[in-house]
Structures are given as C-alpha cells and as structure tokens.
Amino acid sequence: MFEKEDWWAVWLGLGLVIIAILLWSAGNSIKPIAVSVPEWSDFSTVSAHLGEKIGSYVLLFLVFLAIFSLAVKILGHQLSQFIPGFTFVFVMSVIISVFGAWDIAVKYNLEAPLVALGVGMIISNTLTIPKWLETALRTEFYVKVGIVLLGATLPFTLIVQAGPLAFGQATLIAVTTFLTIYWAGTRLFGLDRRFAATLGAGGSICGVSASIAIGGAVKAEKQHVSVSISLVVVWAIIMIYSLPILIKIFDIPSGPAGAWIGTSEFADAAGIAAAAAINEQAIATFTLMKVVGRDMFVGIWCFILALISITKWEKREDGTKPDAKEIWYRFPKFVIGFFIASALVTLVITSVDTESAKAITDSVIKPLKTLRTWAFIFCFFAIGLTTRFKELTAVGWRPFAAFTTGVLVNVPLGYILSVLVFGSYWMSVQ
C-alpha cells in the first residue's frame, strides 16, 4: 500500500480532505493555501492580488511539494531531481493560471488546464526537456490525487443514485467500443490479438491506465503498450478541444454535455479539462460517467483478458491459471479514494444543521475544489511536456486506423445515449 502510485493518490487526497474537516471542526480552515487567481481585465488586478497573497502561494507550493516529495521518495525517485522539477511546474502553473483568469481567455473558454496543455506541448516540441524535469512530470499521479479531491465535492447520495445509470450506459459503450477496436484491429488491419486488446482497452475504459494494465495482463509487447498510450493521448487532445466546441454548436445543456464527454474522452485528465471548459455541473456528470461508470472496469477487464490470454492465446507448459486476486491488483485504487472522500464529506454534512452545512461548503468543499484545480493544472502541463509530435507520428497507420474506428463508433453512440436517450436525467444532476 506504500509502493504503488494509486495508493499514494488515495493517502494524499484523503489526507487533505481529513485535514480540511479537522480544521473546520476546530474553527479554522485550509483557505490560506486554497488560493486562486481572480478574473481580471487590467493587469494591475493581478499585481495587487499577487502582492497580497504571495504568502499563500508560497504556502501552497510548500504543502504540495512536501506531500508529493514524500510519495515520490518512497516510490524510489530522486528528490534532487523532483524538487527543482516540481518548482518549475508550479511556477509555470501560476503563470498559466494568471493567463487563464484573463477575461479574454475566459471569453474564449481558454481554461487554465487547456492552456497548460498547449504551453507544455509548445515547450516539449521546441526545446529539449532536461532529465531533472522529467521526474516531476508525474501526469497520472497528479490527476489521481485531483480525482480523489473531486470525490469530496460530490455528494455520495448523488453517486449512489447516478451509479446504476452511469454504470449501465458506460458498460454498453465500453463493451461496444472495445469489440469494435479489437475486431477492426485483428480482422481489418491484421494486428496481433494482444496489441488489439491493448488498443481496445485504451479506447474503451480509462486510457493510459487501461493500456498499461491490460497490456500487462495479456503480456503485450512494450512497444505496443507505448503505441496505445500515444494514440490515447492523440485522441484525448483532439477531444479536449473538439467536444466543447461541438457542445456549444449544438447547444447541449451542461449535464448531458458532461456525460457525453465522460463516454467520449479517453483519459481522465483530458476529460476533466474538457468538462472544466463548460462548468461545474459538466464536471459532476463527467465524473459520474467516467470514474463511476468506466474506470470501474479496469480490474474486471484485466482478469477477463488475462484469462483469455493464458487459456487461449498462450501455450503454457505449467498450466498456470489466472488468480482471481488479479482483479484487486489491477483495480484503480484512486477510485476507492474518490468514493471514501465523497462518503466522508457527505457524512459530516448530513450530521450538522443547515448553517453548519453552509460553513462546511465554504470552509471545506470550496477550498478542496481549488486544490483539485491546481492538481489538474500540474497534470495537463505535464501531459503537454511529455507529448512529442514526432513520436506520435511514428506509430504507423494500422493501429491508428483501428483506434479511430472505435472513436467513430464511441462518440456518436455516447451522444445518442447521453443527450437523446438519457438527456433529461443528466440535466437533473447538479
């Protein structure tokens, strides 16, 4: 439990939630570190804000640096590289947040996470990334911590209510998309079955994490896993920008829009960015669809595909069969943190009166939302810094064609279910 990044995302995310609740119960708050740049049109507003809140920004940096450094050190990485690397990531995130709060940027939905992604890609494709910075580009770690914090901002009762519908809709889309990519990969484009299964998992479940987990479960080649991750990143980036545009063109309400993003995006980080370009309701419905609905499949699919790989695809002399424990080993642990954070905050709110509940919202939930946003900015900037166009264009046309076939099925099906079939339900989710 202390040697896996997933578990550290749980410990750090829940730790922040528990500290926020304890401080509130003692009459204090985590507000001093939950600082964000206000919307501005005149740069003097930014100068005044930074002058007044510089101590809070320093404290925010030290808190994030301390908790991430603890995890990174125990996970076996060098702090001599991580500390300067994260310092650069944090400073750039503040600069990006200033730009994202500019009223012109707000007008064109240039949210800080989207800007962070773009800036990161420009840097990575024009400059050489130094080795000391690479240790701090822990994309999945940042987003997993952010998703645990996101759980604290969503009432658990809402998750329970939306769970069956989100899970049912996600099941239909995930199975359909996986089978489409696998069939296209093996039958139309002649890909290896393990390779096609890895591509199918990346396009139907939870992107990068699924590609890594499923690739390991079926013993896919390392190169095939890398190609799957690259294609996930390519389409995730495309969807970050295209889905919000399509949503505005078709005037889709926020609730169904977030659910559609949840079915159509290929990575949690990218989906959060696309949903954040709309509003909080879209973030909520996206999370219920993607985290509650799709990410839950990782452990189950790992076991099923490991079983198929061992009994059908591999000729094993020792007759070894997969252990049911593999479901637990492969299950994304940060999802557990998400549920616990939601249940914990909901339990506290339901145990107090109305005025106290409002105080919890102001002193606990809102500051945690701010910390969540910072974690996502770190993540998207890291995605940009690790995305190199030359590498993405080297994957070949057949894997791209197989994955794209799944996209052509996934996106329209997600629209039909999220907007046309269950649209009225998703509009009611707040």
Side-chain angles (χ1 to χ4, degrees):
M1 288 188 170
F2 294 97
E3 296 178 351
K4 298 293 183 181
E5 190 177 83
D6 259 21
W7 277 118
W8 273 106
V10 174
W11 307 142
L12 299 185
L14 286 181
L16 289 171
V17 173
I18 292 171
I19 289 173
I21 293 173
L22 292 177
L23 286 174
W24 165 78
S25 65
N28 295 309
S29 175
I30 61 169
K31 285 183 179 180
I33 66 168
V35 62
S36 60
V37 181
E39 185 176 335
W40 59 276
S41 56
D42 189 324
F43 194 75
S44 61
T45 302
V46 178
S47 301
H49 169 76
L50 294 177
E52 179 185 356
K53 298 291 186 179
I54 187 63
S56 293
Y57 281 99
V58 171
L59 186 58
L60 175 67
F61 166 70
L62 293 176
V63 169
F64 273 128
L65 179 64
I67 62 175
F68 287 143
S69 293
L70 174 64
V72 166
K73 178 63 176 178
I74 295 177
L75 289 171
H77 302 285
Q78 296 182 9
L79 292 185
S80 60
Q81 294 180 349
F82 177 79
I83 291 175
F86 181 74
T87 301
F88 175 77
V89 170
F90 183 85
V91 172
M92 287 299 299
S93 296
V94 173
I95 296 172
I96 289 166
S97 295
V98 170
F99 178 85
W102 185 23
D103 61 349
I104 301 299
V106 173
K107 178 181 178 181
Y108 292 101
N109 293 312
L110 295 176
E111 298 284 339
L114 296 180
V115 178
L117 178 65
V119 171
M121 287 192 293
I122 292 173
I123 294 174
S124 67
N125 287 278
T126 56
L127 301 173
T128 300
I129 303 299
K131 186 176 181 180
W132 57 263
L133 179 56
E134 292 180 356
T135 305
L137 304 182
R138 313 204 63 77
T139 302
E140 289 193 49
F141 191 28
Y142 298 141
V143 77
K144 289 171 183 176
V145 172
I147 288 176
V148 175
L149 293 175
L150 181 60
T153 67
L154 289 175
F156 188 69
T157 51
L158 182 62
I159 295 175
V160 172
Q161 292 170 2
L165 189 148
F167 192 79
Q169 181 176 331
T171 299
L172 176 60
I173 290 177
V175 172
T176 302
T177 305
F178 177 86
L179 292 177
T180 298
I181 295 175
Y182 182 80
W183 177 83
T186 55
R187 299 295 180 87
L188 297 182
F189 304 111
L191 300 179
D192 175 76
R193 290 173 294 190
R194 296 171 183 79
F195 190 10
T198 304
L199 288 174
S204 63
I205 311 174
C206 61
V208 174
S209 297
S211 297
I212 295 171
I214 300 299
V218 300
K219 296 189 180 300
E221 295 180 17
K222 184 177 180 180
Q223 181 185 4
H224 291 167
V225 175
S226 298
V227 170
S228 180
I229 292 172
S230 297
L231 290 173
V232 166
V233 171
V234 167
W235 276 108
I237 292 172
I238 292 172
M239 291 300 171
I240 281 178
Y241 295 102
S242 62
L243 286 176
I245 292 173
L246 291 173
I247 287 166
K248 290 186 179 299
I249 289 175
F250 292 111
D251 196 27
I252 300 174
S254 301
W260 186 29
I261 294 171
T263 63
S264 302
E265 256 298 0
F266 303 99
D268 291 326
I272 287 289
I278 302 173
N279 58 25
E280 284 292 325
Q281 184 186 23
I283 292 177
T285 55
F286 161 80
T287 304
L288 292 172
M289 175 56 65
K290 184 67 169 65
V291 178
V292 177
R294 292 172 66 189
D295 289 359
M296 300 284 285
F297 276 104
V298 174
I300 298 172
W301 282 60
C302 277
F303 177 74
I304 293 174
L305 287 172
L307 179 64
I308 293 174
S309 178
I310 292 172
T311 59
K312 301 293 183 181
W313 299 346
E314 302 172 18
K315 294 181 179 179
R316 300 173 64 99
E317 296 180 358
D318 57 6
T320 302
K321 294 184 179 180
D323 190 336
K325 292 180 180 178
E326 190 161 356
I327 294 179
W328 171 248
Y329 294 148
R330 299 295 186 179
F331 189 83
K333 308 303 187 300
F334 67 92
V335 175
I336 299 174
F338 170 87
F339 284 120
I340 294 176
S342 175
L344 187 59
V345 173
T346 302
L347 180 63
V348 174
I349 289 179
T350 55
S351 65
V352 298
D353 56 34
T354 304
E355 289 301 316
S356 296
K358 291 180 180 178
I360 292 173
T361 299
D362 185 59
S363 299
V364 177
I365 295 178
K366 288 183 178 179
L368 289 174
K369 282 185 179 180
T370 300
L371 297 182
R372 174 201 73 190
T373 300
W374 282 111
F376 289 148
I377 295 174
F378 302 155
C379 170
F380 303 133
F381 186 51
I383 289 177
L385 289 175
T386 54
T387 301
R388 295 171 180 83
F389 297 133
K390 287 184 178 179
E391 295 178 3
L392 297 182
T393 57
V395 300
W397 71 271
R398 291 189 301 167
F400 179 81
F403 198 96
T404 302
T405 302
V407 174
L408 295 176
V409 171
N410 176 287
V411 176
L413 181 59
Y415 174 83
I416 292 171
L417 293 177
S418 300
V419 180
L420 303 181
V421 178
F422 300 119
S424 59
Y425 174 80
W426 291 114
M427 280 192 288
S428 68
V429 175
Q430 298 295 327

